[in-house]
Amino acid sequence: MAELIAIVGPSGSGKSTSIRNLNPEETFIISTTGKPLPFRGFKAKYKSLKQDPESKAWEGNYYVTSSVDKIGTVLKLINSKMPNIKTIVLDDMQYLMSFEAMDRAKEKSYEKFTEMAQHMYSVFKEAMNMRDDLMFVVCTHSENAGDEMNPNYKIKTIGKMLDNVIVLEGLFTYVLYTVIGKNDDGGIAYKFMTNSDGTNTAKSPFGCFEDLYIDNDLEYVIEKIREYNAG
């Protein structure tokens, strides 16, 4: 079973930037939008997935799709044909829901929410069945289910109908929230919150991270998780 990790926060808070230090030879990125990643050398490090016509070997570490069926196919391919890949990043996961919701906006039946929940669950179910050495990371937006006085941030979905069917946070062992603050010299500091402060659904196993706030660096996060799992 692969390890499931969620990186949650608003747009521009450092989710995609946290990919920057991952080893591209061991990383595969699935993008739901195809937007360029916000770090230097992205296009040189991440090449589109393709199959060599002669050797039939699969090459590349980047794929763009918002289809849950195609994501499932790519996950199966990585699991069985690409043993060099150790980390899979699904970037902008929330668009899997929002794109489908827009495509089905004219449907009146409430059953569509159950079906959309099933589609989301199918992605995570496929990830759960992957190799034990894999980390499956999703970057996704947050939303405030409370109010300004009593915030309650959670993974963004497309409404209560979907939330009543599936609680996404329950599928993850690690849910890290992005935080933007100030460093010692007054500059902007992008961090991850490793456990909840009462305003969000952040969580991680006891003892995995020593600090409530850590740098927004997925390479560091995965290193700490592997150390924790090894004992």
Side-chain angles (χ1 to χ4, degrees):
M1 177 177 176
E3 195 81 69
L4 270 61
I5 305 161
I7 306 298
V8 188
S11 179
S13 61
K15 299 186 300 296
S16 298
T17 307
S18 70
I19 300 170
R20 66 194 182 279
N21 290 329
L22 291 173
N23 180 357
E25 294 183 1
E26 297 182 350
T27 304
F28 195 104
I29 297 174
I30 302 172
S31 173
T32 61
T33 64
K35 70 179 184 181
L37 291 173
F39 51 84
R40 185 183 296 275
F42 153 64
K43 290 186 177 181
K45 294 177 180 178
Y46 292 95
K47 302 292 187 179
S48 295
L49 179 67
K50 62 181 181 180
Q51 188 175 32
D52 185 277
E54 295 184 1
S55 69
K56 303 301 180 182
W58 288 94
E59 303 170 345
N61 55 359
Y62 183 74
Y63 190 75
V64 179
T65 184
S66 59
S67 163
V68 294
D69 291 336
K70 289 183 179 179
I71 290 174
T73 299
V74 171
L75 294 181
K76 287 184 174 71
L77 174 66
I78 295 170
N79 191 56
S80 61
K81 303 294 185 180
M82 305 180 77
N84 60 301
I85 299 299
K86 304 300 181 185
T87 301
I88 303 168
V89 180
L90 175 59
D91 196 30
D92 281 339
M93 179 196 75
Q94 76 281 349
Y95 287 115
L96 292 180
M97 292 176 279
S98 58
F99 287 163
E100 182 176 3
M102 291 301 293
D103 290 341
R104 304 180 66 177
K106 293 183 179 180
E107 293 183 28
K108 303 300 182 182
S109 173
Y110 289 132
E111 291 181 0
K112 70 179 181 181
F113 294 102
T114 300
E115 292 172 0
M116 284 188 279
Q118 289 174 333
H119 294 161
M120 284 300 302
Y121 179 71
S122 70
V123 172
F124 299 119
K125 185 67 173 179
E126 190 64 50
M128 291 175 191
N129 292 329
M130 296 181 79
R131 306 188 316 256
D132 290 346
D133 64 334
L134 279 165
M135 298 282 174
F136 184 73
V137 182
V138 301
C139 299
T140 193
H141 285 180
S142 60
E143 63 179 345
N144 186 2
D147 53 44
E148 291 187 8
M149 295 298 293
N150 299 287
N152 179 25
Y153 292 97
K154 58 181 282 295
I155 292 176
K156 185 176 183 178
T157 60
I158 55 171
K160 292 183 178 180
M161 288 291 184
L162 185 60
D163 291 341
N164 289 337
V165 178
I166 185 170
V167 178
L168 291 177
E169 285 88 346
L171 301 177
F172 297 90
T173 305
Y174 298 84
V175 180
L176 308 183
Y177 273 74
T178 58
V179 177
I180 303 176
K182 297 287 187 179
N183 55 30
D184 293 339
D185 61 8
I188 296 176
Y190 294 89
K191 300 286 186 179
F192 287 151
M193 181 183 290
T194 60
N195 278 291
S196 178
D197 62 355
T199 67
N200 57 42
T201 56
K203 64 177 181 177
S204 60
F206 177 77
C208 182
F209 300 103
E210 293 81 6
D211 300 311
L212 179 61
Y213 299 101
I214 60 174
D215 288 339
N216 72 329
D217 183 348
L218 268 177
E219 178 67 17
Y220 173 79
V221 169
I222 290 172
E223 178 183 338
K224 296 296 290 184
I225 292 173
R226 293 197 187 281
E227 289 177 359
Y228 182 82
N229 290 344

